[in-house]
Amino acid sequence: MGTASAGYPFGITAHSHGKVGALPRRVDCSSSSFPLNVELSRINLYPCSGSSITSKGLVSRLGSLPNIDDFFWENVPTPILDVVENPIHLKNLSSKELKQLADEIRLELSFIMSKTQKSFKSSLSVVELTVAIHHVFHAPVDKILWDDGEQTHAHKILTGRRSLMHTMREKNGLSGFTSRFESDYDPFGAGHGCNSISAGLGMAIARDIKGKRERIVAVISNETTMAGQVYEAMSNVGYLDSNMVVILNDSRHSLHLKTEEGPKTSISALSSTLSKLQSSKSFRKLREVAKGVTKKIGRGMHELAAKVDEYARGMMGPLGATLFEELGLYYIGPVDGHNIEDLICVLREVASLDSMGPVLVHVITEENREPENSQKSEIAGRPLEDSSNSDSLPSRIHSLTYSDCFGEALVAEAMKDKDIVTVHAGKQMEPSLQLFQAKFPDKFFDMGIAEQHAVTFSAGLSCGGLKPFCIIPSTFLQRAYDQVVHDVDRQRIPVRFVITSAGLVGSDGPMQCGAFDITFMSCLPNMIVMAPSNEDELVHMVATAAQVDDRPICFRYPRGAVVQEDYSICCGIPIEIGKGKVLAEGKDVALLGYGAMVQNCLKARSLLSTLGLEVTVADARFCKPLDIKLLRQLCQNHAFLITVEEGSIGGFASHVAQFIALDGQLDGRIKWRPIVLPDNYIEHASADEQLNLAGLTGHHIAATALSLLGRNREALLLTS
């Protein structure tokens, strides 16, 4: 088949098939001096249109043009984007073409959202910023680090991954975050936020020690500014004074948590001019000369001059600008994050300074920005539900979730107990918590990603006589573990930890997977650790937690739909601490499930019953304290015991093993097998695919039972 060429504006010619050649040079980039002593031999700046599998195991060199008749066949024309295979091609584009490119990327993201029901909303705010960064800097030699993985989709499109964007968060597809295993353009993994400055500073110091000259750029967001690690890192950046660029993407026009109450940062012709002046080489040199003069006059005068300079520039900038100066970063801004010319002007000046020290560029963006120069499309205007906590939008619309049940149960308890308050921390607030917030606005505290503060704040509330429910996703609770140990458990303070998104989380993969909470919570001496097997048990555990007032307690629940389709809220009844229950009785094999895995034990029982086996299924409910009476009963009445949990090694099964070994149960006829998450990270896929990969389905549990009974052939048939 021949190639058909078509003429496009701005003198660019694109072809529907075949390799795209390099574009003619349009912009003089000499002012953004490229590092002279870096090795380029291993970097393919002009990858071919095909793809190749690298040692990283993923497709890292992808062509820009999507295949004809594939996923993209309905998309609107994107002539400039079609010839941008990697960031080097942005060097040839004029400002007008870069604007057009940004519009095309925004339309492309909107199109993918409409086709896949995956939310790329956060990335829409940083399209122009991403284009400007890759136009000015030279990735992957220069290191571009992102705090928020959800803002990196435009970055992925521009770095050779466009043709796989529709596979994001699917099995064997692209990650929803930046990944060192996915692309050389991702120098560090972006996940929970607030790590890019710390990692970037480490890279900058390593660069200085090795005598290299690559630039380090860390992009942070509003949510990032709510985490203490950011300020720890910025303070250290200021102290070490290494060359580094921090870009604050201010998509909410404020540095404050409650944006509706504070003044919004405005962008005007004056502020734009001042930002360009602040970033100019001559202005920076003038400031350095002035500092040098005051140093010669005396230390006191030097410090006074520095303070006057900081506060004077703080008066020109928005509220919070002086804070960054106090931390040691040279503040530039605010800059209009959708004005390509201003962004390039500021970033080019910043990039051209060899001894600039740390710089913070404050960029103002809007999430709902629409394309200006491209033709409007229905795609861009289609509403999209936020599907970040669900593997598929339809299931979220039509199915009740554990989170919904928890929200209703917590409200019901709070209606009866005026001391109940809620503290939430994590990346995003679950919609179900809005019910509590609406009912009790003065008793709801959202801490964003400040998980460490949230835990200690909850301890303080408890010491003040309240009953705090501290709600944190499992993977984010890891960040506050030291506070859980010292500020809560060691002092035996009754904080009620609600651990959401426990276990496997489908499309969010290992970045959000809650694999370790059973292990790290159950090893604490004073902590009560429990998990519901269904929505009714969840409601009862909310009531149980509300009644415990002498020590901390926690319970976990997974993402996804509940078991019963006709569930309706009921009044929770406190459970006796450390009390499990038998759900079904048999004589051949005992299955002891913990949490949501009890349902898979019931499925395994159904499978085994068709093979003539009688199976006992028990719901442990508690990992700590264990139901000792129940465990002894299962061991004495069965020859085979299998424990099942959706957690890592060292969790529920380890507590069971500790007890039955010390109790002498393993000295007799009982044979015990644990089923836990494998000792590796399970990549993003659907929830069912992940459970299958982990060996936690009903079929896998049944196969384990058959293997214990010596029926290996039938076991293989179940999992084949």
Side-chain angles (χ1 to χ4, degrees), residues 650-707:
F652 173 67
S654 294
H655 285 263
V656 170
Q658 178 80 2
F659 170 73
I660 62 177
L662 293 177
D663 198 49
Q665 298 297 330
L666 293 178
D667 300 341
R669 67 190 186 97
I670 187 73
K671 291 184 179 180
W672 166 70
R673 294 291 185 273
I675 298 180
V676 301
L677 286 174
D679 194 24
N680 59 267
Y681 295 102
I682 298 178
E683 295 300 324
H684 49 277
S686 71
D688 289 340
E689 287 170 334
Q690 282 195 321
L691 282 172
N692 188 60
L693 289 170
L696 286 173
T697 66
H699 283 75
H700 286 92
I701 298 170
T704 301
L706 289 171
S707 296

Side-chain angles (χ1 to χ4, degrees), residues 510-717:
M511 190 64 69
Q512 305 284 358
C513 178
F516 311 114
D517 60 90
I518 304 174
T519 299
F520 66 67
M521 294 299 273
S522 64
C523 70
L524 300 178
N526 296 316
M527 188 72 65
I528 297 173
V529 183
M530 54 185 180
S533 59
N534 56 35
E535 59 278 16
D536 291 330
E537 290 293 322
L538 174 58
V539 173
H540 297 323
M541 287 185 182
V542 173
T544 305
Q547 295 299 312
V548 173
D549 59 3
D550 63 341
R551 50 187 161 164
I553 186 170
C554 70
F555 58 90
R556 66 175 344 225
Y557 61 80
R559 281 189 195 174
V562 298
V563 179
Q564 301 174 14
E565 294 292 336
D566 57 347
Y567 166 79
S568 60
I569 187 67
C570 63
C571 184
I573 302 173
I575 303 169
E576 179 183 345
I577 300 300
K579 184 69 173 179
K581 63 178 181 180
V582 175
L583 303 180
E585 293 198 44
K587 61 181 177 62
D588 296 316
V589 179
L591 303 178
L592 179 59
Y594 182 69
M597 286 299 99
V598 171
Q599 302 304 321
N600 285 5
C601 289
L602 291 171
K603 293 176 182 177
R605 181 179 188 271
S606 178
L607 289 169
L608 292 171
S609 66
T610 63
L611 299 175
L613 294 176
E614 297 181 17
V615 178
T616 294
V617 175
D619 179 0
R621 296 204 286 196
F622 291 86
C623 176
K624 187 175 187 178
L626 285 170
D627 189 337
I628 293 174
K629 182 179 178 181
L630 175 61
L631 271 174
R632 283 175 175 158
Q633 175 187 334
L634 295 176
C635 290
Q636 292 167 5
N637 296 338
H638 302 84
F640 306 100
L641 172 65
I642 299 172
T643 57
V644 188
E645 64 186 300
E646 194 176 357
S648 67
I649 297 170
F652 173 67
S654 294
H655 285 263
V656 170
Q658 178 80 2
F659 170 73
I660 62 177
L662 293 177
D663 198 49
Q665 298 297 330
L666 293 178
D667 300 341
R669 67 190 186 97
I670 187 73
K671 291 184 179 180
W672 166 70
R673 294 291 185 273
I675 298 180
V676 301
L677 286 174
D679 194 24
N680 59 267
Y681 295 102
I682 298 178
E683 295 300 324
H684 49 277
S686 71
D688 289 340
E689 287 170 334
Q690 282 195 321
L691 282 172
N692 188 60
L693 289 170
L696 286 173
T697 66
H699 283 75
H700 286 92
I701 298 170
T704 301
L706 289 171
S707 296
L708 271 174
L709 292 166
R711 298 165 65 166
N712 296 321
R713 180 180 177 81
E714 292 168 297
L716 288 172
L717 290 174

Side-chain angles (χ1 to χ4, degrees), residues 241-256:
D241 201 35
S242 183
N243 290 356
M244 182 177 175
V245 180
V246 178
I247 300 175
L248 170 59
N249 169 37
D250 188 357
S251 59
R252 293 186 292 180
H253 289 213
S254 173
L255 299 181
H256 302 284

Side-chain angles (χ1 to χ4, degrees), residues 145-152 177-178 189-198 218-221 223-225 230 427 449:
L145 293 84
W146 299 80
D147 249 8
D148 189 347
E150 294 179 359
Q151 294 184 358
T152 62
F177 311 91
T178 56
H192 299 159
C194 78
N195 66 357
S196 66
I197 301 179
S198 299
V219 186
I220 65 177
S221 66
E223 290 182 338
T224 295
T225 61
V230 169
K427 190 71 174 173
I449 60 173

Side-chain angles (χ1 to χ4, degrees), residues 366-639:
E366 299 175 13
E367 283 192 348
N368 297 320
R369 185 82 172 187
E370 292 187 356
E372 294 178 0
N373 299 322
S374 290
Q375 58 182 355
K376 294 293 191 298
S377 167
E378 292 182 3
I379 296 169
R382 293 177 188 171
L384 179 74
E385 292 287 337
D386 181 10
S387 56
S388 59
N389 285 336
S390 175
D391 290 321
S392 62
L393 189 64
S395 64
R396 181 170 180 184
I397 293 175
H398 299 295
S399 298
L400 199 65
T401 66
Y402 276 97
S403 179
D404 295 327
C405 297
F406 166 72
E408 293 174 352
L410 185 59
V411 168
E413 287 297 321
M415 296 288 286
K416 298 183 295 183
D417 191 336
K418 61 181 177 59
D419 289 334
I420 289 178
V421 294
T422 296
V423 179
H424 174 267
K427 190 71 174 173
Q428 294 175 326
M429 187 176 75
E430 298 187 36
S432 63
L433 296 179
Q434 294 173 2
L435 177 62
F436 188 98
Q437 185 180 32
K439 291 272 188 182
F440 310 100
D442 296 332
K443 297 181 178 181
F444 182 87
F445 305 93
D446 187 12
M447 301 299 173
I449 60 173
E451 297 88 1
Q452 296 175 341
H453 168 64
V455 170
T456 305
F457 175 70
S458 298
L461 291 173
S462 182
C463 290
L466 297 176
K467 295 183 176 181
F469 278 75
C470 186
I471 308 165
I472 305 181
S474 175
T475 188
F476 289 91
L477 185 59
Q478 296 164 187
R479 293 161 43 132
Y481 188 57
D482 186 62
Q483 284 70 27
V484 173
V485 174
H486 291 289
D487 297 343
V488 178
D489 191 77
R490 188 175 61 82
Q491 302 182 60
R492 206 179 175 96
I493 296 175
V495 173
R496 298 140 190 91
F497 291 101
V498 182
I499 306 172
T500 67
S501 295
L504 300 170
V505 291
S507 60
D508 278 335
M511 190 64 69
Q512 305 284 358
C513 178
F516 311 114
D517 60 90
I518 304 174
T519 299
F520 66 67
M521 294 299 273
S522 64
C523 70
L524 300 178
N526 296 316
M527 188 72 65
I528 297 173
V529 183
M530 54 185 180
S533 59
N534 56 35
E535 59 278 16
D536 291 330
E537 290 293 322
L538 174 58
V539 173
H540 297 323
M541 287 185 182
V542 173
T544 305
Q547 295 299 312
V548 173
D549 59 3
D550 63 341
R551 50 187 161 164
I553 186 170
C554 70
F555 58 90
R556 66 175 344 225
Y557 61 80
R559 281 189 195 174
V562 298
V563 179
Q564 301 174 14
E565 294 292 336
D566 57 347
Y567 166 79
S568 60
I569 187 67
C570 63
C571 184
I573 302 173
I575 303 169
E576 179 183 345
I577 300 300
K579 184 69 173 179
K581 63 178 181 180
V582 175
L583 303 180
E585 293 198 44
K587 61 181 177 62
D588 296 316
V589 179
L591 303 178
L592 179 59
Y594 182 69
M597 286 299 99
V598 171
Q599 302 304 321
N600 285 5
C601 289
L602 291 171
K603 293 176 182 177
R605 181 179 188 271
S606 178
L607 289 169
L608 292 171
S609 66
T610 63
L611 299 175
L613 294 176
E614 297 181 17
V615 178
T616 294
V617 175
D619 179 0
R621 296 204 286 196
F622 291 86
C623 176
K624 187 175 187 178
L626 285 170
D627 189 337
I628 293 174
K629 182 179 178 181
L630 175 61
L631 271 174
R632 283 175 175 158
Q633 175 187 334
L634 295 176
C635 290
Q636 292 167 5
N637 296 338
H638 302 84

